[in-house]
Amino acid sequence: MTSVTLLGVKGGPAIRPGAPMPTAHLLQMGGQNVVVDCGLGVSRGLIDQGVGVHQVDLILITHLHSDHYLELGPLLHTAWTAGRRDPVTVIGPSGLRAYVDGFFAAMAEDIDLRIADEGRPDLRDLVHLQLLEPGDVPNPAGLRITAMLNDHPPIAESFALRFDGDHSVVFSGDTATFPAMVDFAKDADLLVHEAMLTAGIDALCARVGNGDDRLKTHLLRSHTPAAEAARIATRAGAKQLALNHLVPSDDPDFTENDWRAEAAPHFAGPLHIGRDGLRIPL
């Protein structure tokens, strides 16, 4: 059975009491466990779904904002300490190499000690990095994956992903309203689309406290209002829509009802408002 679990649905890297965790997804398709993005909390999220961190078959990173790859290194290391001996492929933008190399350098003392003291294989040999580029995405899991550049300024290498097998699942990635998403998500069984509640942006920026007006500018030019995400899903003919990477996601003045009020008038199918641990079977 194909399913998508939203492991973390928060837009942005900050976590506060009562807040959801940053972005991460588990796609289970064709007998494979695929992780899409590795925000803080991804390892705990997998365990909570009954999936061992060493059981991940493939990891994809959509872009290099910290709420999408901060826990990639710890996930890989924890899988290794949990008994992983076979290679794992990580597919992501070109800058991901510097992160992985830096993580291995920072953890070299621990890695080398565990190799010598515990007889483990070298973690650095188990991680196979592959560049994510537009078009068909070759992968050892044998899945049909397609990538498309989206619109997430100022980042140039930011991708939407489509998985086609017994079902079709599309992840928008972080993006402004992007008309090409309609064709990319055509007839998808599930579109997982980022979403912003425009009415909550001023309160969010005030709460962050250590930025200036550039934060609001970034949010408004780089993300998709929930109503627009719903319109895209409708035009694409998507069967279900899940809103994730919610901005804001931890403001008590805005509830699921506010998200539904903005999106539901524009999409007639099943509408899922993201929450950590939400599993959507297909």
Side-chain angles (χ1 to χ4, degrees), residues 3-9 23-27 36-37 62 150 159-163 168-175 181 184-185 188-195 229 232-233 238-246 272-274 278 280 282:
S3 67
V4 172
T5 303
L6 309 181
L7 302 177
V9 302
T23 306
H25 317 83
L26 170 64
L27 169 65
V36 177
D37 286 330
T62 59
N150 57 27
F159 292 90
L161 298 170
R162 178 173 181 131
F163 296 79
S168 296
V169 177
V170 174
F171 298 90
S172 72
D174 282 14
T175 183
M181 197 70 68
F184 191 68
D189 292 293
L190 174 65
L191 171 60
V192 181
H193 204 294
E194 73 123 77
I232 287 169
K239 295 179 179 63
Q240 298 188 62
L241 171 64
L243 300 182
N244 81 328
H245 194 273
L246 303 179
H272 308 276
I273 308 302
L278 175 63
I280 305 169
L282 299 174

Side-chain angles (χ1 to χ4, degrees), residues 124-204:
R124 291 157 293 205
D125 294 335
L126 299 183
V127 178
H128 295 175
L129 276 183
Q130 180 179 319
L131 181 64
L132 182 58
E133 297 178 292
D136 293 337
V137 180
N139 64 93
L143 298 173
R144 183 181 173 193
I145 307 174
T146 310
M148 177 184 70
L149 286 167
N150 57 27
D151 184 17
H152 190 48
I155 292 180
E157 289 184 76
S158 180
F159 292 90
L161 298 170
R162 178 173 181 131
F163 296 79
D164 289 290
D166 54 351
H167 292 86
S168 296
V169 177
V170 174
F171 298 90
S172 72
D174 282 14
T175 183
T177 303
F178 194 51
M181 197 70 68
V182 172
D183 286 337
F184 191 68
K186 188 70 173 175
D187 298 326
D189 292 293
L190 174 65
L191 171 60
V192 181
H193 204 294
E194 73 123 77
M196 173 177 63
L197 200 62
T198 309
I201 297 305
D202 284 338
L204 182 152

